[in-house]
mmCIF file of all heavy atoms in Angstrom:
data_model
loop_
_atom_site.group_PDB
_atom_site.id
_atom_site.type_symbol
_atom_site.label_atom_id
_atom_site.label_comp_id
_atom_site.label_asym_id
_atom_site.label_seq_id
_atom_site.Cartn_x
_atom_site.Cartn_y
_atom_site.Cartn_z
ATOM 1 N N PRO Y 320 -44.042 -46.520 -3.627
ATOM 2 C CA PRO Y 320 -44.373 -45.211 -2.968
ATOM 3 C C PRO Y 320 -44.692 -44.194 -4.034
ATOM 4 O O PRO Y 320 -44.297 -44.273 -5.175
ATOM 5 C CB PRO Y 320 -43.069 -44.855 -2.235
ATOM 6 C CG PRO Y 320 -42.006 -45.598 -2.967
ATOM 7 C CD PRO Y 320 -42.634 -46.897 -3.438
ATOM 8 N N LYS Y 321 -45.452 -43.187 -3.624
ATOM 9 C CA LYS Y 321 -45.714 -42.070 -4.512
ATOM 10 C C LYS Y 321 -44.474 -41.154 -4.643
ATOM 11 O O LYS Y 321 -44.122 -40.672 -5.713
ATOM 12 C CB LYS Y 321 -46.922 -41.259 -4.001
ATOM 13 C CG LYS Y 321 -48.228 -41.985 -4.106
ATOM 14 C CD LYS Y 321 -49.377 -41.086 -3.612
ATOM 15 C CE LYS Y 321 -50.725 -41.851 -3.654
ATOM 16 N NZ LYS Y 321 -51.824 -41.007 -3.120
ATOM 17 N N ILE Y 322 -43.817 -40.921 -3.519
ATOM 18 C CA ILE Y 322 -42.649 -40.087 -3.452
ATOM 19 C C ILE Y 322 -41.528 -40.739 -2.635
ATOM 20 O O ILE Y 322 -41.805 -41.327 -1.610
ATOM 21 C CB ILE Y 322 -42.980 -38.681 -2.866
ATOM 22 C CG1 ILE Y 322 -44.016 -37.967 -3.711
ATOM 23 C CG2 ILE Y 322 -41.733 -37.834 -2.743
ATOM 24 C CD1 ILE Y 322 -44.481 -36.667 -3.106
ATOM 25 N N PHE Y 323 -40.342 -40.676 -3.121
ATOM 26 C CA PHE Y 323 -39.202 -41.175 -2.397
ATOM 27 C C PHE Y 323 -38.045 -40.155 -2.448
ATOM 28 O O PHE Y 323 -37.639 -39.728 -3.525
ATOM 29 C CB PHE Y 323 -38.701 -42.493 -3.005
ATOM 30 C CG PHE Y 323 -37.483 -43.083 -2.326
ATOM 31 C CD1 PHE Y 323 -37.628 -43.621 -1.064
ATOM 32 C CD2 PHE Y 323 -36.235 -43.066 -2.930
ATOM 33 C CE1 PHE Y 323 -36.479 -44.175 -0.384
ATOM 34 C CE2 PHE Y 323 -35.111 -43.588 -2.285
ATOM 35 C CZ PHE Y 323 -35.281 -44.167 -1.008
ATOM 36 N N THR Y 324 -37.660 -39.694 -1.260
ATOM 37 C CA THR Y 324 -36.523 -38.800 -1.197
ATOM 38 C C THR Y 324 -35.354 -39.496 -0.520
ATOM 39 O O THR Y 324 -35.557 -40.345 0.336
ATOM 40 C CB THR Y 324 -36.858 -37.530 -0.384
ATOM 41 O OG1 THR Y 324 -37.276 -37.895 0.941
ATOM 42 C CG2 THR Y 324 -37.994 -36.750 -1.051
ATOM 43 N N TYR Y 325 -34.141 -39.241 -0.941
ATOM 44 C CA TYR Y 325 -32.992 -39.960 -0.407
ATOM 45 C C TYR Y 325 -31.734 -39.063 -0.398
ATOM 46 O O TYR Y 325 -31.641 -38.066 -1.163
ATOM 47 C CB TYR Y 325 -32.725 -41.223 -1.208
ATOM 48 C CG TYR Y 325 -32.311 -40.970 -2.615
ATOM 49 C CD1 TYR Y 325 -30.962 -41.046 -2.976
ATOM 50 C CD2 TYR Y 325 -33.231 -40.689 -3.606
ATOM 51 C CE1 TYR Y 325 -30.575 -40.811 -4.273
ATOM 52 C CE2 TYR Y 325 -32.838 -40.445 -4.909
ATOM 53 C CZ TYR Y 325 -31.490 -40.504 -5.245
ATOM 54 O OH TYR Y 325 -31.101 -40.293 -6.547
ATOM 55 N N ARG Y 326 -30.797 -39.441 0.450
ATOM 56 C CA ARG Y 326 -29.530 -38.681 0.571
ATOM 57 C C ARG Y 326 -28.413 -39.632 0.937
ATOM 58 O O ARG Y 326 -28.550 -40.462 1.830
ATOM 59 C CB ARG Y 326 -29.667 -37.624 1.614
ATOM 60 C CG ARG Y 326 -28.437 -36.700 1.772
ATOM 61 C CD ARG Y 326 -28.813 -35.497 2.628
ATOM 62 N NE ARG Y 326 -29.225 -35.869 3.929
ATOM 63 C CZ ARG Y 326 -28.432 -35.913 4.984
ATOM 64 N NH1 ARG Y 326 -27.110 -35.635 4.864
ATOM 65 N NH2 ARG Y 326 -28.887 -36.222 6.194
ATOM 66 N N GLY Y 327 -27.306 -39.544 0.186
ATOM 67 C CA GLY Y 327 -26.140 -40.357 0.490
ATOM 68 C C GLY Y 327 -25.408 -39.706 1.686
ATOM 69 O O GLY Y 327 -25.247 -38.498 1.721
ATOM 70 N N LEU Y 328 -25.005 -40.546 2.633
ATOM 71 C CA LEU Y 328 -24.327 -40.037 3.830
ATOM 72 C C LEU Y 328 -22.813 -40.368 3.848
ATOM 73 O O LEU Y 328 -22.034 -39.534 4.279
ATOM 74 C CB LEU Y 328 -24.962 -40.673 5.073
ATOM 75 C CG LEU Y 328 -26.471 -40.469 5.231
ATOM 76 C CD1 LEU Y 328 -26.950 -41.224 6.441
ATOM 77 C CD2 LEU Y 328 -26.780 -38.977 5.390
ATOM 78 N N GLN Y 329 -22.426 -41.486 3.317
ATOM 79 C CA GLN Y 329 -21.038 -41.878 3.197
ATOM 80 C C GLN Y 329 -20.997 -43.048 2.226
ATOM 81 O O GLN Y 329 -22.003 -43.717 2.000
ATOM 82 C CB GLN Y 329 -20.473 -42.281 4.566
ATOM 83 C CG GLN Y 329 -21.101 -43.525 5.177
ATOM 84 C CD GLN Y 329 -20.355 -44.000 6.406
ATOM 85 O OE1 GLN Y 329 -19.127 -43.968 6.444
ATOM 86 N NE2 GLN Y 329 -21.079 -44.523 7.372
ATOM 87 N N PRO Y 330 -19.831 -43.337 1.636
ATOM 88 C CA PRO Y 330 -19.742 -44.466 0.705
ATOM 89 C C PRO Y 330 -19.982 -45.798 1.394
ATOM 90 O O PRO Y 330 -19.656 -46.001 2.565
ATOM 91 C CB PRO Y 330 -18.308 -44.373 0.146
ATOM 92 C CG PRO Y 330 -17.879 -42.965 0.422
ATOM 93 C CD PRO Y 330 -18.566 -42.551 1.696
ATOM 94 N N LEU Y 331 -20.587 -46.729 0.649
ATOM 95 C CA LEU Y 331 -20.690 -48.100 1.037
ATOM 96 C C LEU Y 331 -19.733 -48.898 0.184
ATOM 97 O O LEU Y 331 -19.799 -48.818 -1.025
ATOM 98 C CB LEU Y 331 -22.138 -48.614 0.813
ATOM 99 C CG LEU Y 331 -22.387 -50.117 1.093
ATOM 100 C CD1 LEU Y 331 -22.115 -50.448 2.552
ATOM 101 C CD2 LEU Y 331 -23.796 -50.483 0.703
ATOM 102 N N PHE Y 332 -18.831 -49.645 0.840
ATOM 103 C CA PHE Y 332 -17.753 -50.335 0.137
ATOM 104 C C PHE Y 332 -18.048 -51.864 0.024
ATOM 105 O O PHE Y 332 -18.843 -52.387 0.827
ATOM 106 C CB PHE Y 332 -16.424 -50.130 0.871
ATOM 107 C CG PHE Y 332 -16.021 -48.683 0.940
ATOM 108 C CD1 PHE Y 332 -16.131 -47.985 2.128
ATOM 109 C CD2 PHE Y 332 -15.558 -48.016 -0.159
ATOM 110 C CE1 PHE Y 332 -15.772 -46.655 2.225
ATOM 111 C CE2 PHE Y 332 -15.180 -46.677 -0.112
ATOM 112 C CZ PHE Y 332 -15.311 -45.991 1.084
ATOM 113 N N ASP Y 333 -17.442 -52.448 -0.914
ATOM 114 C CA ASP Y 333 -17.607 -53.889 -1.122
ATOM 115 C C ASP Y 333 -16.836 -54.674 -0.079
ATOM 116 O O ASP Y 333 -16.039 -54.135 0.706
ATOM 117 C CB ASP Y 333 -17.176 -54.309 -2.557
ATOM 118 C CG ASP Y 333 -15.639 -54.372 -2.656
ATOM 119 O OD1 ASP Y 333 -14.969 -53.500 -2.138
ATOM 120 O OD2 ASP Y 333 -15.167 -55.343 -3.298
ATOM 121 N N GLY Y 334 -17.058 -55.972 -0.049
ATOM 122 C CA GLY Y 334 -16.267 -56.831 0.822
ATOM 123 C C GLY Y 334 -16.948 -57.269 2.064
ATOM 124 O O GLY Y 334 -16.330 -57.938 2.902
ATOM 125 N N GLY Y 335 -18.195 -56.865 2.287
ATOM 126 C CA GLY Y 335 -18.872 -57.272 3.547
ATOM 127 C C GLY Y 335 -20.366 -57.209 3.424
ATOM 128 O O GLY Y 335 -20.931 -56.875 2.360
ATOM 129 N N GLU Y 336 -21.009 -57.572 4.528
ATOM 130 C CA GLU Y 336 -22.461 -57.576 4.573
ATOM 131 C C GLU Y 336 -22.980 -56.146 4.794
ATOM 132 O O GLU Y 336 -22.333 -55.315 5.434
ATOM 133 C CB GLU Y 336 -22.944 -58.466 5.732
ATOM 134 C CG GLU Y 336 -24.398 -58.733 5.775
ATOM 135 C CD GLU Y 336 -24.742 -59.699 6.883
ATOM 136 O OE1 GLU Y 336 -24.880 -59.239 8.063
ATOM 137 O OE2 GLU Y 336 -24.906 -60.942 6.631
ATOM 138 N N PHE Y 337 -24.133 -55.857 4.235
ATOM 139 C CA PHE Y 337 -24.793 -54.594 4.521
ATOM 140 C C PHE Y 337 -26.277 -54.917 4.728
ATOM 141 O O PHE Y 337 -26.790 -55.980 4.389
ATOM 142 C CB PHE Y 337 -24.629 -53.576 3.362
ATOM 143 C CG PHE Y 337 -25.306 -53.964 2.062
ATOM 144 C CD1 PHE Y 337 -26.580 -53.475 1.756
ATOM 145 C CD2 PHE Y 337 -24.664 -54.787 1.129
ATOM 146 C CE1 PHE Y 337 -27.219 -53.818 0.584
ATOM 147 C CE2 PHE Y 337 -25.281 -55.134 -0.033
ATOM 148 C CZ PHE Y 337 -26.573 -54.625 -0.348
ATOM 149 N N SER Y 338 -26.997 -53.942 5.321
ATOM 150 C CA SER Y 338 -28.386 -54.179 5.635
ATOM 151 C C SER Y 338 -29.274 -53.143 4.988
ATOM 152 O O SER Y 338 -28.892 -51.968 4.818
ATOM 153 C CB SER Y 338 -28.619 -54.231 7.143
ATOM 154 O OG SER Y 338 -28.225 -53.004 7.745
ATOM 155 N N VAL Y 339 -30.484 -53.549 4.645
ATOM 156 C CA VAL Y 339 -31.542 -52.653 4.162
ATOM 157 C C VAL Y 339 -32.579 -52.627 5.304
ATOM 158 O O VAL Y 339 -33.069 -53.642 5.714
ATOM 159 C CB VAL Y 339 -32.180 -53.225 2.878
ATOM 160 C CG1 VAL Y 339 -33.171 -52.228 2.287
ATOM 161 C CG2 VAL Y 339 -31.097 -53.528 1.848
ATOM 162 N N ASN Y 340 -32.874 -51.403 5.763
ATOM 163 C CA ASN Y 340 -33.615 -51.264 7.004
ATOM 164 C C ASN Y 340 -34.823 -50.339 6.806
ATOM 165 O O ASN Y 340 -34.809 -49.462 5.945
ATOM 166 C CB ASN Y 340 -32.747 -50.671 8.088
ATOM 167 C CG ASN Y 340 -31.453 -51.411 8.268
ATOM 168 O OD1 ASN Y 340 -31.410 -52.370 9.042
ATOM 169 N ND2 ASN Y 340 -30.381 -50.978 7.621
ATOM 170 N N ALA Y 341 -35.858 -50.544 7.645
ATOM 171 C CA ALA Y 341 -37.041 -49.716 7.586
ATOM 172 C C ALA Y 341 -37.616 -49.568 8.984
ATOM 173 O O ALA Y 341 -37.497 -50.443 9.843
ATOM 174 C CB ALA Y 341 -38.099 -50.348 6.669
ATOM 175 N N GLY Y 342 -38.249 -48.403 9.185
ATOM 176 C CA GLY Y 342 -38.946 -48.162 10.457
ATOM 177 C C GLY Y 342 -40.333 -48.765 10.365
ATOM 178 O O GLY Y 342 -40.618 -49.667 9.579
ATOM 179 N N ALA Y 343 -41.199 -48.219 11.227
ATOM 180 C CA ALA Y 343 -42.553 -48.765 11.235
ATOM 181 C C ALA Y 343 -43.258 -48.525 9.917
ATOM 182 O O ALA Y 343 -43.086 -47.500 9.287
ATOM 183 C CB ALA Y 343 -43.342 -48.086 12.389
ATOM 184 N N VAL Y 344 -44.113 -49.503 9.539
ATOM 185 C CA VAL Y 344 -44.868 -49.397 8.282
ATOM 186 C C VAL Y 344 -46.025 -48.399 8.462
ATOM 187 O O VAL Y 344 -46.797 -48.499 9.456
ATOM 188 C CB VAL Y 344 -45.411 -50.797 7.859
ATOM 189 C CG1 VAL Y 344 -46.270 -50.651 6.605
ATOM 190 C CG2 VAL Y 344 -44.285 -51.763 7.612
ATOM 191 N N GLY Y 345 -46.100 -47.450 7.563
ATOM 192 C CA GLY Y 345 -47.186 -46.434 7.621
ATOM 193 C C GLY Y 345 -47.251 -45.697 6.302
ATOM 194 O O GLY Y 345 -46.596 -46.087 5.332
ATOM 195 N N ASP Y 346 -48.032 -44.606 6.273
ATOM 196 C CA ASP Y 346 -48.131 -43.845 5.042
ATOM 197 C C ASP Y 346 -46.820 -43.154 4.686
ATOM 198 O O ASP Y 346 -46.582 -42.788 3.548
ATOM 199 C CB ASP Y 346 -49.251 -42.773 5.180
ATOM 200 C CG ASP Y 346 -50.619 -43.412 5.233
ATOM 201 O OD1 ASP Y 346 -50.789 -44.576 4.753
ATOM 202 O OD2 ASP Y 346 -51.561 -42.762 5.743
ATOM 203 N N SER Y 347 -45.976 -42.992 5.688
ATOM 204 C CA SER Y 347 -44.623 -42.455 5.507
ATOM 205 C C SER Y 347 -43.652 -43.411 6.221
ATOM 206 O O SER Y 347 -43.920 -43.783 7.360
ATOM 207 C CB SER Y 347 -44.479 -41.051 6.009
ATOM 208 O OG SER Y 347 -43.189 -40.571 5.806
ATOM 209 N N MET Y 348 -42.577 -43.788 5.592
ATOM 210 C CA MET Y 348 -41.645 -44.736 6.156
ATOM 211 C C MET Y 348 -40.215 -44.273 6.013
ATOM 212 O O MET Y 348 -39.805 -43.838 4.917
ATOM 213 C CB MET Y 348 -41.826 -46.083 5.462
ATOM 214 C CG MET Y 348 -40.956 -47.213 6.037
ATOM 215 S SD MET Y 348 -41.065 -48.717 5.017
ATOM 216 C CE MET Y 348 -42.819 -49.101 5.202
ATOM 217 N N GLU Y 349 -39.445 -44.385 7.094
ATOM 218 C CA GLU Y 349 -37.999 -44.097 7.027
ATOM 219 C C GLU Y 349 -37.262 -45.382 6.653
ATOM 220 O O GLU Y 349 -37.520 -46.437 7.239
ATOM 221 C CB GLU Y 349 -37.515 -43.585 8.373
ATOM 222 C CG GLU Y 349 -38.175 -42.288 8.836
ATOM 223 C CD GLU Y 349 -38.001 -41.146 7.854
ATOM 224 O OE1 GLU Y 349 -36.854 -40.963 7.389
ATOM 225 O OE2 GLU Y 349 -38.996 -40.461 7.566
ATOM 226 N N LEU Y 350 -36.332 -45.253 5.697
ATOM 227 C CA LEU Y 350 -35.577 -46.391 5.243
ATOM 228 C C LEU Y 350 -34.107 -45.982 5.207
ATOM 229 O O LEU Y 350 -33.775 -44.849 4.977
ATOM 230 C CB LEU Y 350 -36.006 -46.865 3.857
ATOM 231 C CG LEU Y 350 -37.496 -47.286 3.746
ATOM 232 C CD1 LEU Y 350 -38.197 -46.362 2.803
ATOM 233 C CD2 LEU Y 350 -37.589 -48.724 3.226
ATOM 234 N N TRP Y 351 -33.207 -46.987 5.419
ATOM 235 C CA TRP Y 351 -31.769 -46.667 5.304
ATOM 236 C C TRP Y 351 -30.982 -47.930 5.020
ATOM 237 O O TRP Y 351 -31.388 -49.056 5.308
ATOM 238 C CB TRP Y 351 -31.288 -45.999 6.563
ATOM 239 C CG TRP Y 351 -31.301 -46.835 7.830
ATOM 240 C CD1 TRP Y 351 -30.301 -47.560 8.381
ATOM 241 C CD2 TRP Y 351 -32.437 -47.014 8.755
ATOM 242 N NE1 TRP Y 351 -30.710 -48.175 9.523
ATOM 243 C CE2 TRP Y 351 -32.022 -47.842 9.772
ATOM 244 C CE3 TRP Y 351 -33.754 -46.523 8.722
ATOM 245 C CZ2 TRP Y 351 -32.868 -48.259 10.797
ATOM 246 C CZ3 TRP Y 351 -34.575 -46.906 9.759
ATOM 247 C CH2 TRP Y 351 -34.163 -47.749 10.798
ATOM 248 N N ILE Y 352 -29.823 -47.686 4.368
ATOM 249 C CA ILE Y 352 -28.820 -48.727 4.170
ATOM 250 C C ILE Y 352 -27.777 -48.548 5.260
ATOM 251 O O ILE Y 352 -27.373 -47.434 5.548
ATOM 252 C CB ILE Y 352 -28.158 -48.580 2.776
ATOM 253 C CG1 ILE Y 352 -29.184 -48.705 1.641
ATOM 254 C CG2 ILE Y 352 -27.028 -49.609 2.605
ATOM 255 C CD1 ILE Y 352 -29.688 -50.089 1.390
ATOM 256 N N ALA Y 353 -27.289 -49.622 5.831
ATOM 257 C CA ALA Y 353 -26.232 -49.552 6.837
ATOM 258 C C ALA Y 353 -25.115 -50.516 6.454
ATOM 259 O O ALA Y 353 -25.370 -51.606 5.874
ATOM 260 C CB ALA Y 353 -26.766 -49.867 8.221
ATOM 261 N N ASN Y 354 -23.872 -50.154 6.748
ATOM 262 C CA ASN Y 354 -22.747 -51.017 6.414
ATOM 263 C C ASN Y 354 -22.593 -52.063 7.491
ATOM 264 O O ASN Y 354 -23.417 -52.178 8.424
ATOM 265 C CB ASN Y 354 -21.457 -50.211 6.240
ATOM 266 C CG ASN Y 354 -21.101 -49.364 7.486
ATOM 267 O OD1 ASN Y 354 -21.525 -49.680 8.625
ATOM 268 N ND2 ASN Y 354 -20.318 -48.323 7.290
ATOM 269 N N ALA Y 355 -21.549 -52.884 7.411
ATOM 270 C CA ALA Y 355 -21.373 -54.014 8.328
ATOM 271 C C ALA Y 355 -21.196 -53.525 9.792
ATOM 272 O O ALA Y 355 -21.523 -54.289 10.736
ATOM 273 C CB ALA Y 355 -20.157 -54.829 7.924
ATOM 274 N N ALA Y 356 -20.761 -52.280 9.977
ATOM 275 C CA ALA Y 356 -20.599 -51.735 11.322
ATOM 276 C C ALA Y 356 -21.910 -51.114 11.852
ATOM 277 O O ALA Y 356 -21.911 -50.621 12.981
ATOM 278 C CB ALA Y 356 -19.489 -50.721 11.338
ATOM 279 N N GLY Y 357 -22.945 -51.163 11.026
ATOM 280 C CA GLY Y 357 -24.233 -50.590 11.457
ATOM 281 C C GLY Y 357 -24.379 -49.117 11.211
ATOM 282 O O GLY Y 357 -25.384 -48.519 11.605
ATOM 283 N N MET Y 358 -23.364 -48.477 10.527
ATOM 284 C CA MET Y 358 -23.437 -47.071 10.277
ATOM 285 C C MET Y 358 -24.184 -46.794 8.945
ATOM 286 O O MET Y 358 -23.967 -47.509 7.964
ATOM 287 C CB MET Y 358 -22.031 -46.498 10.155
ATOM 288 C CG MET Y 358 -21.167 -46.721 11.393
ATOM 289 S SD MET Y 358 -21.918 -46.020 12.881
ATOM 290 C CE MET Y 358 -21.856 -44.289 12.530
ATOM 291 N N PRO Y 359 -25.113 -45.833 8.951
ATOM 292 C CA PRO Y 359 -25.913 -45.565 7.758
ATOM 293 C C PRO Y 359 -25.059 -44.996 6.612
ATOM 294 O O PRO Y 359 -24.206 -44.162 6.818
ATOM 295 C CB PRO Y 359 -26.961 -44.590 8.219
ATOM 296 C CG PRO Y 359 -26.330 -43.914 9.416
ATOM 297 C CD PRO Y 359 -25.460 -44.930 10.045
ATOM 298 N N THR Y 360 -25.310 -45.469 5.413
ATOM 299 C CA THR Y 360 -24.637 -44.946 4.228
ATOM 300 C C THR Y 360 -25.574 -44.174 3.313
ATOM 301 O O THR Y 360 -25.177 -43.341 2.540
ATOM 302 C CB THR Y 360 -23.987 -46.077 3.411
ATOM 303 O OG1 THR Y 360 -25.002 -47.001 2.975
ATOM 304 C CG2 THR Y 360 -22.930 -46.814 4.253
#
Side-chain angles (χ1 to χ4, degrees):
K321 292 180 180 178
I322 298 175
F323 179 71
T324 59
Y325 67 99
R326 183 167 61 94
L328 303 176
Q329 64 170 323
L331 174 63
F332 300 105
D333 77 319
E336 189 177 82
F337 67 95
S338 59
V339 185
N340 307 273
V344 176
D346 291 339
S347 180
M348 183 187 298
E349 299 302 313
L350 302 115
W351 64 96
I352 301 286
N354 59 23
M358 303 302 294
T360 60

